[in-house]
Amino acid sequence: MTTQTPPKPSLKMNIIGDAFVDIYCYLSPNQSLPTLGGDSRLSQPIHSVAGGSALNTCTHYQALAEEEVKVELQTVMNEEDDYGKVLLNHVQKYGFQLINCHPQQQQQQQQHADKESSTGHCVVIVCNNERSFMTHLGCVGKFHASHLQVDKLISSRPPQQLLQPSVPECNHHHHVHVHVAGYYNIPGFWNGALEQVFVKVKQQRQSMQDGNATTTTISLVPQHDATEEWDGDLLQLLQYVDFL
């Protein structure tokens, strides 16, 4: 009699939010930000790196991930512009999964770049060990909760089943964590739009009945609000959030 080995508990990390290219400018020591119409000296060459709260979080999770952990990022970018290519190279280098939710990208209609279809990018001015940002949201500003592939947040075959067909069937991960990063950079998720996603994920995960224990947790990082309004109906979301 052959006894099947039960699958190891699996974890799916779903990261949702912003991805930017950060353009770093380091001011010389003891030099302040330039006055309007003025000039300041930089201590280092200007350089660009992949960034954004969601992409950075995904990168760090992937570095810590074990075999039973799948890390996936849902964000938006223009894969055809120079900034988008920087982000794609970063994703490939660090090996996590990417879902580009840009509507035009999905429809393969990204023929002409404009200010709203550009990959998000920001100038980072480093002065006396403090960072100040000047951000162009680009397509991040048009990223809406309805663009998400919500089914990917709810159910996905655990990695050990892809590698070991003999492992007993389970059509979803035992634990799913959803992390929303840079909330104040994605206005298309404000005022109830993200709440609808949270409700759907929680309800459908709870309804899974196949003999395998399922748990779901949610976390959120608001980031800085450049509008200084600090609203977006964030307080309404807290009832669904396990970690803030």
Side-chain angles (χ1 to χ4, degrees):
M1 180 177 177
T2 303
T3 303
Q4 287 186 322
T5 303
K8 295 180 180 179
S10 63
L11 169 63
K12 171 82 179 296
M13 303 294 299
N14 298 287
I15 316 300
I16 299 167
D18 53 357
F20 295 105
V21 171
D22 294 335
I23 304 164
Y24 272 85
C25 303
Y26 290 85
L27 285 171
S28 298
N30 301 319
Q31 209 173 16
S32 61
L33 295 172
T35 58
L36 186 63
D39 191 9
S40 293
R41 295 289 185 262
L42 299 180
S43 62
Q44 301 179 30
I46 296 171
H47 69 278
S48 301
V49 296
S53 181
L55 184 134
N56 287 339
T57 301
C58 211
T59 302
H60 293 307
Y61 273 139
Q62 182 64 32
L64 298 171
E66 298 180 352
E67 180 181 333
E68 293 77 27
V69 180
K70 181 178 179 180
V71 181
E72 191 167 77
L73 171 65
Q74 293 201 41
T75 187
V76 288
M77 65 185 70
N78 181 346
E79 298 179 9
E80 303 302 320
D81 67 21
D82 290 340
Y83 297 123
K85 291 173 183 176
V86 170
L87 297 182
L88 288 176
N89 288 336
H90 179 90
V91 171
Q92 185 176 26
K93 177 180 178 180
Y94 288 93
F96 52 85
Q97 299 296 310
L98 169 69
I99 297 176
N100 185 0
C101 300
H102 195 309
Q104 292 182 345
Q105 200 78 54
Q106 293 173 343
Q107 298 166 13
Q108 298 182 343
Q109 295 176 347
Q110 195 72 27
Q111 298 177 355
H112 303 286
D114 57 36
K115 65 180 181 180
E116 292 185 351
S117 66
S118 168
T119 298
H121 51 282
C122 62
V123 176
V124 185
I125 302 176
V126 183
C127 178
N128 296 323
N129 296 319
E130 290 289 347
R131 298 186 303 166
S132 301
F133 296 83
M134 296 185 293
T135 302
H136 174 63
L137 290 176
C139 59
V140 174
K142 295 296 182 181
F143 188 17
H144 194 275
S146 63
H147 300 155
L148 292 172
Q149 294 187 25
V150 180
D151 60 315
K152 295 288 188 179
L153 307 177
I154 296 168
S155 179
S156 179
R157 181 169 293 194
Q160 66 264 24
Q161 289 190 1
L162 301 177
L163 300 173
Q164 305 174 39
S166 61
V167 171
E169 183 72 15
C170 171
N171 65 359
H172 59 269
H173 287 78
H174 296 89
H175 180 74
V176 161
H177 183 74
V178 178
H179 176 71
V180 178
Y183 181 73
Y184 282 122
N185 284 331
I186 45 177
F189 287 65
W190 300 356
N191 301 322
L194 180 57
E195 181 180 7
Q196 294 179 31
V197 175
F198 283 170
V199 169
K200 184 174 182 179
V201 170
K202 289 273 193 178
Q203 289 179 346
Q204 294 203 20
R205 288 283 298 172
Q206 290 172 358
S207 67
M208 290 178 172
Q209 300 291 336
D210 62 359
N212 295 282
T214 61
T215 54
T216 309
T217 52
I218 294 174
S219 60
L220 185 146
V221 171
Q223 289 297 98
H224 186 82
D225 183 5
T227 70
E228 298 288 348
E229 294 180 1
W230 305 102
D231 191 9
D233 213 12
L234 178 61
L235 293 180
Q236 177 63 22
L237 291 174
L238 297 186
Q239 60 184 309
Y240 307 100
V241 173
D242 301 286
F243 308 99
L244 182 65

